[in-house]
Amino acid sequence: MIIQLDPHISVEQREALSQQIKNIRYKTTHVKTQFGEYLIGVGKQEFDIRRIGSMPGIRDIHRVSDDYKLVSKKWKVEDTNIELGPGLHAGTGNFTLMAGPCSIEDESQVVAIINHLVANGVTLMRGGVYKPRSSPYSFRGLGLEGLQMWHHHAQAAGIKIITEVMMVEQIAPMADYIDIFQVGARNSQNFNLLDALGEVDKPVLLKRGMSGTIDELLQSAEYIFSHGNEKIMLCERGIRTYETAYRNTMDINAIAMLKEKTHLPVIADPSHGIGLRSLVGRVALASVMAGADGVIMEVHPTPEKAASDGQQTLNFQEAGRLYQGLRDAYELRRQLERHV
Ligand code: PEP
Ligand code: MN
């Protein structure tokens, strides 16, 4: 059960509400976000929700029996639109394109990519400065210094930054230099990290775990929301299956399913989703058709020389063509949607 409190609820009204909840023996969690105040109730007893819904000081009440509640469409039917920056929104009616290298490598790479993005009207740049790598001997990122260098150039060009945060301790030092925190597949169930990201007022792009179910992804999003941050985007980035012909299996179904289960924006990552440069474009287009609100993809001036994930990274020409294709696909989907 989700009870949304009226912002002007009085102390007496709160008291009356907790008495009612005690009567039905529900266990409650108090949630306060940038946008609202909620009581999440969990319990077994049957009762008429109108008894609580009609009390003064209550804005809204819904029965949501899933393990995730605040991110569920059962509570909030309309899709959420998230402000990523002034005049920049993610969610229904806005197609969100994010592109950049797997890893931030050096100043000349950063400047070249920013120029490419500006020329193509892409305003969000991805890139890792803290890289989760399977081998400890691989390049693990430039860290905070690299982020500061990147931020300096991005800000001058009006480009927003999305980058991965791997540890709670990195959040505060990174916050001044980034616009969106990315939680990588390997940290999708790092609940301490998710709790801590609930406490910052910055959008979070939460990736699905490599072997994570859709429900697990939604429950991870619930951690962030219930700790106070409603600005969440979910990301399908491919899952591990028995198939070895490509790096991951992009779960296109998940995009359609997530759009049905949650009001949060859903972003597709076709680069990690298939892991093969020649096929990224097709998978990206398919993701948009399946309902994605945006795409995040890897691009590099010379993918063959990239410090990480070069095999799935597009060069500037390939990326430029695809941005346009994706924008067209998004418009087309919106026209076709009435047929499904
Ligand atoms: C990345 O975005 O470069 C990355 C490491 O992604 P994932 O967490 O999906 O593997
Ligand atoms: Mn990568």
Side-chain angles (χ1 to χ4, degrees), residues 292-312:
D293 297 296
V295 168
I296 183 165
M297 55 190 253
E298 291 183 335
V299 57
H300 191 284
T302 45
E304 344 24 84
K305 295 193 188 141
S308 57
D309 284 354
Q311 80 291 345
Q312 64 191 34

Side-chain angles (χ1 to χ4, degrees), residues 102 126 131 247 272 298 308-309 312:
C102 181
R126 63 144 290 145
K131 295 303 303 176
R247 183 179 182 188
H272 296 85
E298 291 183 335
S308 57
D309 284 354
Q312 64 191 34

